[in-house]
């Protein structure tokens, strides 16, 4: 039996440095499953670099969080719209 699930996944990498010397500072992953479950993971790759400029990186994390929140809100609106359309179709069939 095939069981499929739909997820919305947002991934991001925060980097610092120049073109020749780029360091990955942090990874961010967030997902929204079809049943409404949310998973958020943020991993600091280089803590010394992160804490040296924490305010800047926190702004970038906030930008990531805001984008994920936007995706979640959009998904809920789409889900409600689809459920309403489905109910309308079911009522027409009756």
């Amino acid at each position: 039996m095939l069981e499929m699930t739909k997820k919305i996944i947002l991934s991001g990498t925060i980097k610092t440095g120049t073109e020749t010397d780029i360091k990955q500072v942090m990874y961010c992953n967030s997902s929204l499953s079809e049943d409404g479950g949310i998973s958020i993971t943020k991993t600091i790759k280089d803590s010394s670099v992160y804490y040296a400029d924490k305010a800047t990186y926190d702004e970038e994390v906030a930008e990531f969080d805001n984008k994920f929140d936007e995706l979640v809100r959009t998904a809920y609106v789409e889900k409600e719209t689809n459920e309403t359309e489905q109910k309308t179709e079911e009522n027409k069939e009756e």
Side-chain angles (χ1 to χ4, degrees):
M1 170 177 31
L2 174 62
E3 184 177 321
M4 296 188 290
T5 58
K6 179 181 174 182
K7 280 189 176 186
I8 295 172
I9 299 171
L10 181 65
S11 299
T13 304
I14 298 173
K15 300 176 183 180
T16 189
T18 64
E19 288 182 25
T20 57
D21 185 30
I22 296 175
K23 285 189 175 192
Q24 295 179 345
V25 179
M26 183 178 229
Y27 304 106
C28 302
N29 288 304
S30 296
S31 66
L32 170 66
S33 63
E34 196 169 30
D35 66 0
I38 291 177
S39 172
I40 300 171
T41 305
K42 297 172 185 163
T43 304
I44 297 171
K45 173 84 172 149
D46 190 328
S47 61
S48 62
V49 173
Y50 174 78
Y51 284 107
D53 197 8
K54 185 179 182 307
T56 298
Y57 299 120
D58 287 350
E59 286 177 18
E60 293 186 36
V61 169
E63 183 181 340
F64 176 88
D65 290 342
N66 290 338
K67 181 61 178 178
F68 184 68
D69 287 345
E70 177 185 320
L71 293 172
V72 169
R73 283 190 302 274
T74 300
Y76 282 130
V77 167
E78 288 174 4
K79 183 177 180 181
E80 288 176 2
T81 301
N82 290 340
E83 288 174 354
T84 301
E85 289 173 357
Q86 199 172 34
K87 286 179 184 176
T88 302
E89 287 298 316
E90 289 171 1
N91 289 338
K92 285 181 184 178
E93 291 175 2
E94 292 177 358

